[in-house]
Amino acid sequence: MGKNHRHAKKLKSEKSKVKIKTKTKFLPKGQNVTNTAFKIRSIVLQEQLKKRQVEGLLSKKKANIDELISKLKHYNEAVKVEACTDLKDVIISHPLEETQIYLSLISQNASALIQDRERKVRRSSVKLLHAIVEKVSTATIRPFFNYFLTNLKCAMTNINKHIQEDSLLLLDALLEHQNLLIAENFDTIFPTFLTLISKSKNNLGTERSLSLNLEGKVSSVKWRIKVLTRLYGILNALTQCRSEKNQDKGFGTLIQVKGNPFIPLYKNINNYEVCVGSRTNQVSHEFDTQIANLTQLLHEIWIEVVPEKTKKNGLEPIVLATEESVAVFSCIVNILHLLHEYLQLSGNVELFCNNKSVIFLDHLLSNFPYIHNKRNNFEIIKEFSRSFVMNCDPNCTEENLIVIYVFLTLRINLNAKNKPKTRHLAVFLNNCLKSPRNFTPKAYAYLVKILKVMFVKPINMCQRLGIAEVEIMENVVSFYTNRKISDFYKSDLLEVLTCPRFEKYQLWTEKLPDFLCANQVSVKLIDTVLNLCMKGQKVVQDGVTKSVNRILSNMRTMEITEAANLEIARKNFVSIFFYLPNLSTQDIDEINNFVKSNPDCTYSKHFENVLQLRTYLLSNK
C-alpha cells in the first residue's frame, strides 16, 4: 500500500459524497438509430451571380491572356511551362492584329525566363519567343526589342553554364527571323558574346584570351564550335545589313541629325533618309576595335586543332582527323571570309592587315591545303545554328578556295619567303580546274572570284606569286569547254575569258555559237557574244554565221535563264545577227522563212526590225 493510506482515504471521501438519483429512460424500439440527415444552406457570392464578360483572347483551356502572363511569374515550374505553352498557341492560332497589344508584356516576362534555374522553363520560354519573332515584323518588334537584348546578355554572362548554353537558342531564333535588329544592335551584343569563349586580360577589354569550359558537361572544343556557328550568323547579319545600305545609297541622301533634330525646309524631304544620331558609325567603330581581338581568338582556337609546328612533306595536304577539327576549320574559314567581305563593303580592308591577322593567315597557308577522311554524317552538325551550313566534302574544296581568295585580295606577305606556299596554291587551283566533278555552287563562286582577281584586275598577280600563268589559263579554257559542266556555272567565267590577257587563247570562242544552240542559254552568254560581234571579232562572227540554221531551229524551244527583263534579252539575242557581215542571201532567206512561219513569236518582230535596218544601211553604202 501507499504511504499514509492514501487509497483508503480516497475511497472514504468518495462514499461520503451526496449521490443524485436519476431515472433511466430507454428509447422506444426502432428509434435507437442515429439520424444522419441534415440540411445544407448554400453560400452565395453576389459577384458570381453576375454574367461574366469575356475580355481579350482565350487559350484552349479558356484562360485569359492576362492570367497567363501573371502565371509566368509563378514560383512553380509546371505552371510557368504551361503558361508558356498556352501563350505560344494563342500567338500562333490568332491573327497578329488581335495579339499585338499583348506582345510587349509577353516579351518582357517571357524573355526574363531565359535565366530561370529550371531547364524546362527556359526551353519553353525560348519556344514562345521564337513564335513571336517569327510572326511579328521587324518594325513591330523594334520598340520592345531591348527586352530580348537585356535578358540575352544577362543569360550569356550568367554564372550557370546551362543558362549560357540555352542563351544560344534564343540567339538562334533572333538570327533566323530578326537578323536586321541583331545587326543594328551589334555594338551591344558582340562584346558580351565574346565572353562565352574568352576573358579579358585587362580592364579596358582591348585584349582577350580563350577560356576553358571546365564546369560544363560539354568539352571546351565543342562549346567553342557552338559559339563559332553563332558568331558566323552574327557576322552574316552584319554583312547583309551593310550590303543593303551600300545598295540604298544611290536612292537618297543620308542626313545625320545630331542634337538638334530639325530638317531644312528647302530640302526635298521625300528624297532624304533622316537618321537621328550616328548609330551606323557606332556599330562600325565598335566592330573595327574588335577585329584584332577576334582574329587573335580565331588563331588560338586554330592552334589547338593544327599546331604551328606541323610539318608536311612536299605538297601532301594536312588531314583533319576528328569531326571537331573539321568543324573548327569550316567555322573559322567561313568567319574569316565574312570578316574580309564586311571590311571590303565598309572600305576598311587595311584593318585586316594587322599583325595578328597576318600571323593567323600565314599559319593557315603554311599547312595548305586541308582534307579530311570523314565520309559519314557528322553528328556534331545537330548542335549547329541554322544560319551555318557545314560543308562535308572530304576535299574541303570550298574552305581551301576561301583561304586562297582572302590571301590574294589582301596581297600581304608576297615576298620570296612565301614562294613555296604560293606554289601550293597554284597546284590546288590547277587540280580544281582539271577535275571539277564535286564542285558546289558556292565553291564555283569562290573559284570565279579568284580567277577575276588573278586575270581581270590590272595587277599581275601570277607574276607576284611566282605562279605559271600559261598553265592556269589553259586549264580555265578547258574547264569552260568541258561538256560535263552546266551552263549555269559557265556564264560567270565569260568575264574572265574575254579579258585582254586571254587574247592568246581566243580560239576557244569558236565554240561559243554551239552554246547558243543549247536548250537553256544564259543572259551573260548572249551579252558576251553580242559584245564580241560588235567589236568585230571574226572568229565569233564566222561561228555564228555557220550556225544560223541551227540557232533558228533552236529558238522555238530555247529558254533564256537569269534574265531580269526577258524582252530585252530576246532583243539582244536577235541583235547578234545585225553584226554578222558575212551573212549570205541563203541565210537571210532562212531568217525570212522563220519570221513568216512564226508571226506571233516575239523574235519575229525583232528580226523584222534588224533586217529592215540592215537593208537600209547596205543600200546607203
Side-chain angles (χ1 to χ4, degrees):
M1 292 182 66
K3 224 172 188 182
N4 298 327
H5 308 283
R6 291 178 183 173
H7 183 64
K9 290 179 181 180
K10 189 176 182 180
L11 290 175
K12 188 178 179 179
S13 64
E14 289 292 333
K15 289 180 180 181
S16 63
K17 290 181 178 179
V18 179
K19 303 293 190 291
I20 301 173
K21 295 181 179 182
T22 58
K23 293 182 180 181
T24 304
K25 293 182 180 181
F26 297 97
L27 290 172
K29 189 176 181 181
Q31 295 185 6
N32 57 350
V33 181
T34 305
N35 186 10
T36 59
F38 56 89
K39 294 182 179 180
I40 300 175
R41 187 174 182 181
S42 60
I43 302 173
V44 179
L45 298 178
Q46 297 297 328
E47 294 181 357
Q48 292 181 352
L49 296 176
K50 297 179 181 178
K51 188 177 180 180
R52 186 176 179 182
Q53 295 180 355
V54 180
E55 296 181 358
L57 303 177
L58 297 179
S59 65
K60 293 180 180 179
K61 298 179 181 179
K62 305 302 179 183
N64 196 357
I65 287 189
D66 294 329
E67 297 174 359
L68 295 176
I69 293 174
S70 63
K71 287 182 180 180
L72 294 176
K73 303 176 183 179
H74 202 274
Y75 66 88
N76 186 272
E77 173 191 354
V79 174
K80 288 186 282 189
V81 171
E82 184 181 2
C84 290
T85 305
D86 291 344
L87 284 172
K88 186 190 73 171
D89 293 338
V90 170
I91 291 172
I92 293 175
S93 58
H94 291 80
L96 181 61
E97 292 77 11
E98 298 180 6
T99 59
Q100 188 170 356
I101 58 175
Y102 302 100
L103 290 178
S104 177
L105 197 56
I106 294 174
S107 301
Q108 181 181 3
N109 291 278
S111 59
L113 295 179
I114 194 64
Q115 303 177 64
D116 196 273
R117 289 184 297 177
E118 301 296 335
R119 182 185 179 187
K120 290 183 179 179
V121 178
R122 296 195 300 268
R123 296 295 175 91
S124 300
S125 67
V126 169
K127 292 179 181 178
L128 171 58
L129 296 173
H130 190 279
I132 293 175
V133 297
E134 182 179 7
K135 192 170 186 178
V136 180
S137 64
T138 302
T140 305
I141 205 172
R142 182 180 276 113
F144 50 89
F145 190 70
N146 192 40
Y147 297 142
F148 293 86
L149 293 180
T150 303
N151 290 286
L152 176 62
K153 291 191 294 181
C154 291
M156 286 180 178
T157 55
N158 198 292
I159 195 172
N160 190 337
K161 295 295 181 181
H162 301 295
I163 295 178
Q164 290 184 14
E165 292 179 14
D166 288 340
S167 68
L168 298 180
L169 300 178
L170 176 57
L171 181 60
D172 289 343
L174 298 178
L175 288 173
E176 185 177 356
H177 301 290
Q178 301 294 338
N179 56 355
L180 177 61
L181 296 178
I182 292 292
E184 291 179 357
N185 297 275
F186 176 83
D187 55 334
T188 61
I189 296 175
F190 193 66
T192 308
F193 179 79
L194 288 181
T195 59
L196 292 172
I197 56 172
S198 65
K199 56 185 177 180
S200 178
K201 289 184 179 180
N202 50 22
N203 296 329
L204 298 176
T206 54
E207 295 184 3
R208 308 189 70 89
S209 61
L210 284 178
S211 59
L212 299 176
N213 190 34
L214 298 177
E215 299 178 4
K217 296 181 181 180
V218 184
S219 64
S220 296
V221 178
K222 286 186 177 180
W223 172 243
R224 287 166 190 164
I225 293 172
K226 282 185 176 183
V227 176
L228 287 176
T229 55
R230 275 74 181 183
L231 174 61
Y232 176 86
I234 294 174
L235 295 178
N236 190 30
L238 187 65
T239 304
Q240 289 179 2
C241 181
R242 186 73 190 189
S243 177
E244 291 174 0
K245 287 182 179 179
N246 288 352
Q247 292 176 0
D248 294 340
K249 280 184 179 180
F251 296 99
T253 306
L254 184 68
I255 303 175
Q256 293 287 348
V257 183
K258 296 182 181 179
N260 195 8
F262 294 105
I263 304 171
L265 293 176
Y266 54 85
K267 296 287 186 181
N268 187 5
I269 299 175
N270 294 329
N271 295 333
Y272 287 83
E273 179 185 355
V274 181
C275 178
V276 180
S278 55
R279 180 71 177 169
T280 306
N281 295 334
Q282 273 185 348
V283 173
S284 300
H285 179 71
E286 179 66 27
F287 185 58
D288 294 345
T289 57
Q290 296 287 348
I291 285 179
N293 291 334
L294 185 56
T295 52
Q296 181 182 1
L297 292 177
L298 293 176
H299 190 200
E300 291 179 7
I301 295 172
W302 180 239
I303 287 175
E304 293 182 355
V305 178
V306 179
E308 285 184 301
K309 296 183 180 180
T310 303
K311 292 184 179 180
K312 193 172 54 169
N313 296 326
L315 300 176
E316 295 180 4
I318 289 291
V319 180
L320 304 173
T322 63
E323 286 188 7
E324 294 178 356
S325 60
V326 178
V328 169
F329 176 63
S330 182
C331 291
I332 285 180
V333 171
N334 282 281
I335 290 172
L336 183 70
H337 176 253
L338 280 179
L339 282 173
H340 178 260
E341 186 177 353
Y342 176 80
L343 291 176
Q344 279 188 322
L345 293 172
S346 60
N348 296 326
V349 184
E350 64 277 359
L351 293 174
F352 205 78
C353 299
N354 56 71
N355 293 331
K356 297 177 181 178
S357 302
V358 170
I359 294 172
F360 176 36
L361 191 57
D362 186 69
H363 182 196
L364 281 173
L365 288 171
S366 61
N367 301 300
F368 185 89
Y370 302 89
I371 61 173
H372 67 84
N373 52 10
K374 301 294 178 182
R375 298 184 181 276
N376 298 326
N377 293 330
F378 286 79
E379 294 182 359
I380 200 170
I381 295 179
K382 299 176 183 178
E383 302 176 352
F384 282 8
S385 170
R386 292 185 180 180
S387 59
F388 182 81
V389 179
M390 181 176 169
N391 178 31
C392 299
D393 178 21
N395 296 321
C396 298
T397 306
E398 290 182 13
E399 289 79 8
N400 289 323
L401 289 173
I402 291 174
V403 174
I404 297 175
Y405 174 67
V406 174
F407 176 76
L408 293 180
T409 50
L410 290 178
R411 297 192 292 275
I412 56 178
N413 289 347
L414 295 180
N415 48 39
K417 295 181 180 180
N418 282 324
K419 289 296 175 68
K421 300 175 185 176
T422 56
R423 185 179 59 177
H424 302 331
L425 305 183
V427 172
F428 183 80
L429 280 177
N430 287 322
N431 291 336
C432 289
L433 293 170
K434 291 177 182 178
S435 56
R437 295 180 181 177
N438 299 325
F439 260 47
T440 61
K442 191 175 180 182
Y444 186 83
Y446 290 128
L447 179 63
V448 173
K449 288 182 180 179
I450 292 170
L451 295 176
K452 286 182 179 179
V453 172
M454 295 179 68
F455 299 111
V456 176
K457 291 188 177 181
I459 300 174
N460 194 341
M461 190 62 65
C462 293
Q463 184 178 357
R464 296 185 64 179
L465 295 172
I467 297 175
E469 187 179 53
V470 176
E471 183 181 2
I472 295 181
M473 284 183 173
E474 290 176 352
N475 290 329
V476 171
V477 173
S478 62
F479 179 85
Y480 184 85
T481 55
N482 191 346
R483 291 286 183 181
K484 296 180 181 180
I485 304 169
S486 65
D487 296 335
F488 176 77
Y489 293 156
K490 293 178 179 179
S491 60
D492 291 330
L493 266 181
L494 290 172
E495 184 180 354
V496 178
L497 290 168
T498 53
C499 70
R501 292 189 186 179
F502 276 83
E503 290 180 356
K504 300 177 182 179
Y505 303 94
Q506 293 300 337
L507 293 177
W508 70 271
T509 54
E510 293 179 356
K511 298 184 179 181
L512 277 178
D514 296 338
F515 297 117
L516 292 176
C517 301
N519 294 329
Q520 292 183 343
V521 180
S522 66
V523 175
K524 293 180 181 179
L525 177 63
I526 295 173
D527 294 340
T528 301
V529 175
L530 178 61
N531 291 331
L532 292 175
C533 291
M534 289 172 64
K535 292 178 182 178
Q537 192 167 16
K538 193 173 183 303
V539 177
V540 181
Q541 290 175 342
D542 293 342
V544 177
T545 303
K546 294 177 182 177
S547 305
V548 168
N549 190 13
R550 292 168 54 202
I551 293 173
L552 290 175
S553 60
N554 183 58
M555 290 180 71
R556 296 181 179 90
T557 59
M558 181 185 65
E559 179 184 356
I560 299 177
T561 60
E562 305 175 32
N565 191 324
L566 190 59
E567 191 64 24
I568 294 177
R570 290 170 177 169
K571 186 177 180 180
N572 291 338
F573 189 91
V574 175
S575 299
I576 295 173
F577 292 83
F578 179 78
Y579 297 98
L580 302 179
N582 298 326
L583 277 178
S584 62
T585 54
Q586 183 179 357
D587 296 332
I588 296 175
D589 292 339
E590 289 181 0
I591 296 174
N592 288 324
N593 292 332
F594 175 83
V595 173
K596 292 178 181 179
S597 59
N598 300 279
D600 298 331
C601 182
T602 55
Y603 292 106
S604 301
K605 299 177 183 178
H606 298 310
F607 269 123
E608 290 178 355
N609 296 332
V610 167
L611 292 176
Q612 290 177 2
L613 183 59
R614 183 184 177 86
T615 304
Y616 174 76
L617 292 175
L618 291 175
S619 61
N620 290 335
K621 281 186 178 181

